[in-house]
Amino acid sequence: MELRTNEAGGAELIAFGESDSSERFLRNTLLGQALLVAEPREHHVIEHFSETASSRTVLDRVAGWAQFLISESSALELLKAGKAHPTRNPVAGFWWDKRSNFGDSIGPWVISAYSGRPTVNARFMKVPGRTLVSVGSVIQMIKRPNADIWGSGLIREINEKHLHDLTQLKGVRVHAVRGKLTHAQLTSQLDWDVPEVFGDPALLLPRVYTPTVENVGTSGVSFVPHYSHRKWLDSLSTDGVSVVDVRNDLTTVIDQIASSDICVSTSLHGLIIAQAFGVPWVWLNVTDEALAGARFKFDDYFSTLDASVVAEHQMVSTELETLELLKVSKQATLPRLSIDLDALEAALPITGPRSTEPAMPKAKVKFSWSGYPLRTRLSARGNDLGLFGKRVVRSGQRRISKMFSEK
């Protein structure tokens, strides 16, 4: 963690990882707690301090966050070993988290908003009980028993390997799927009991999050390239267009899309967010640079709306240099959904009471003197408070780095 000054004369507390595994830990642990920023280096803005904030307040918060991250890294080791979280009661979720991508963070974000509890990624853990699989083309990735599927989809039609792996699973319950193509595959190939409840849970985001931008609907055209398509930006003319970086925080991406008049996207969740917040959209389909599974996941989603009016602009990558995004944006439409979002919301299989006003729960971060001897406490409350606060942060950094060091 670092404390950096800002242009307003105050300071901001940021955290960043030193390895792929520590970056993944921070993305999952700070989801909904800090603002993820992709450039110039992936980091999380945890807290802002005004120029009038006292040094004691700042150090108390910094040390508190250091303790929080240390505690969560220790709890993660317990969860991996199949033990319970010592202080919180998280929902065991399941999502792809190899790199920063806002679409993959939607599932745990929505689950936490409805449950009022943090969500941990149990994909590679021995977490006891059931696991909630939600947003994304992740059904074929499931390797663990007792999975609850809610709004997930397949990446492509089920092949022999997927068929073998999925038929071995025990205790799978399907509560809703993303679209009718996934439904047809699961019922015909696996003979699973799949209800006719459809929809990507990202469509529920307006019920749990209000964009924090002013003048919604007045920011022109937004272009949302999938993270694997960012290589095009050097050759693509984006004059008059706001480019959205899907590696940024979920809320940042939503704010940018929701505040635009039209969305042009190669990312499926760019289209879904636009649909959810009432922004007309166009799917830019670069056919020779197709994403994994080609168009299956797109058509799966399109099966839940009036597909006859879906705006799709097909092209090949050699045409990018002459592509006029503003001209493409004129094809935008806002198809009517043909599914029941109330049914999708009601199908969410979480135990315990739901939040009456769903919102992302915030961690209660407060520095605790527990575990520090009296002499240390008295010394820290004297002239050495600053030195002590720095020691807490440094020790936290060393401990977390050691836990997530690359093997």
Side-chain angles (χ1 to χ4, degrees):
M1 293 195 300
E2 286 186 5
L3 196 61
R4 295 181 179 177
T5 57
N6 55 34
E7 295 179 356
E12 57 186 22
L13 177 63
I14 68 167
F16 51 84
E18 297 290 352
S19 65
D20 289 344
S21 53
S22 60
E23 286 182 343
R24 182 181 299 186
F25 164 73
L26 289 174
R27 283 197 298 269
N28 292 344
T29 303
L30 294 175
L31 178 64
Q33 311 303 319
L35 192 71
L36 172 60
V37 181
E39 295 288 353
R41 173 187 183 181
E42 182 177 308
H43 64 279
H44 304 260
V45 181
I46 297 177
E47 194 160 345
H48 294 274
F49 301 101
S50 71
E51 60 181 335
T52 59
S54 69
S55 59
R56 182 175 291 277
T57 297
V58 173
L59 284 169
D60 183 73
R61 295 297 295 167
V62 171
W65 277 106
Q67 284 188 331
F68 171 76
L69 291 175
I70 292 169
S71 173
E72 289 303 302
S73 63
S74 299
L76 186 62
E77 296 303 308
L78 292 175
L79 291 172
K80 287 180 178 178
K83 300 178 181 179
H85 194 292
T87 58
R88 301 200 287 174
N89 180 30
V91 177
F94 184 106
W95 68 93
W96 188 86
D97 64 356
K98 187 176 181 179
R99 68 178 70 209
S100 177
N101 177 36
F102 92 102
D104 297 305
S105 64
I106 294 173
W109 205 101
V110 171
I111 291 169
S112 289
Y114 276 108
S115 66
R117 295 152 57 192
T119 304
V120 298
N121 194 350
R123 184 179 171 193
F124 299 115
M125 297 184 192
K126 299 178 181 179
V127 177
R130 303 192 64 80
T131 302
L132 181 48
V133 184
S134 59
V135 176
S137 303
V138 294
I139 293 177
Q140 72 286 344
M141 297 181 186
I142 303 173
K143 307 293 184 184
R144 55 187 300 126
N146 302 319
D148 286 299
I149 296 174
W150 178 64
S152 315
L154 292 163
I155 192 68
R156 56 173 59 88
E157 292 184 352
I158 295 174
N159 58 31
E160 289 187 10
K161 183 180 185 307
H162 295 157
L163 184 62
H164 174 270
D165 292 344
L166 293 173
T167 53
Q168 306 303 309
L169 297 177
K170 305 296 183 182
V172 175
R173 299 173 188 165
V174 184
H175 304 268
V177 289
R178 179 180 57 207
K180 297 178 181 178
L181 274 64
T182 292
H183 184 280
Q185 286 288 302
L186 297 183
T187 53
S188 65
Q189 299 297 313
L190 295 171
D191 196 30
W192 284 1
D193 182 14
V194 185
E196 292 191 350
V197 180
F198 302 104
D200 189 301
L203 293 167
L204 299 175
L205 276 166
R207 302 186 179 194
V208 297
Y209 178 74
T210 301
T212 55
V213 292
E214 297 180 359
N215 302 318
V216 172
T218 61
S219 297
V221 177
S222 60
F223 174 50
V224 189
H226 188 271
Y227 64 79
S228 65
H229 294 157
R230 288 189 60 80
K231 59 188 178 184
W232 299 340
L233 295 180
D234 290 338
S235 58
L236 184 64
S237 174
T238 56
D239 291 343
V241 174
S242 174
V243 178
V244 178
D245 190 340
V246 298
R247 302 171 301 169
N248 279 332
D249 196 81
L250 165 65
T251 58
T252 300
V253 175
I254 294 175
D255 291 349
Q256 288 182 281
I257 296 175
S259 65
S260 59
D261 298 311
I262 293 171
C263 175
V264 179
S265 179
T266 71
S267 159
L268 175 60
H269 278 101
L271 305 179
I272 296 177
I273 294 300
Q275 178 76 38
F277 287 91
V279 177
W281 51 266
V282 182
W283 175 30
L284 183 60
N285 181 9
V286 185
T287 55
D288 63 335
E289 291 276 356
L291 301 174
R295 61 179 301 136
F296 181 90
K297 65 180 181 180
F298 289 89
D299 288 333
D300 191 36
Y301 167 62
F302 297 158
S303 72
T304 65
L305 43 76
D306 184 358
S308 66
V309 295
V310 165
E312 175 185 353
H313 183 86
Q314 290 190 359
M315 59 177 296
V316 294
S317 56
T318 55
E319 299 174 308
L320 285 169
E321 290 187 5
T322 58
L323 179 68
E324 297 181 38
L325 284 171
L326 290 178
K327 187 175 181 180
V328 171
S329 71
K330 297 185 184 302
Q331 304 172 31
T333 61
L334 187 60
R336 180 183 58 84
L337 281 174
S338 59
I339 56 174
D340 184 354
L341 292 183
D342 289 337
L344 175 63
E345 183 180 59
L348 173 58
I350 54 174
T351 57
R354 297 194 188 191
S355 300
T356 55
E357 296 183 1
M360 170 59 73
K362 294 296 182 180
K364 295 179 180 179
V365 176
K366 185 177 181 180
F367 177 67
S368 171
W369 286 99
S370 176
Y372 291 100
L374 180 60
R375 178 177 297 180
T376 300
R377 302 185 194 189
L378 293 174
S379 173
R381 291 193 181 281
N383 295 328
D384 294 329
L385 175 64
L387 179 61
F388 176 72
K390 291 177 182 178
R391 284 208 309 269
V392 172
V393 174
R394 282 200 298 269
S395 65
Q397 288 175 323
R398 286 196 297 270
R399 182 169 179 178
I400 293 170
S401 295
K402 184 177 180 180
M403 279 185 155
F404 294 96
S405 60
E406 294 296 300
K407 305 296 184 184

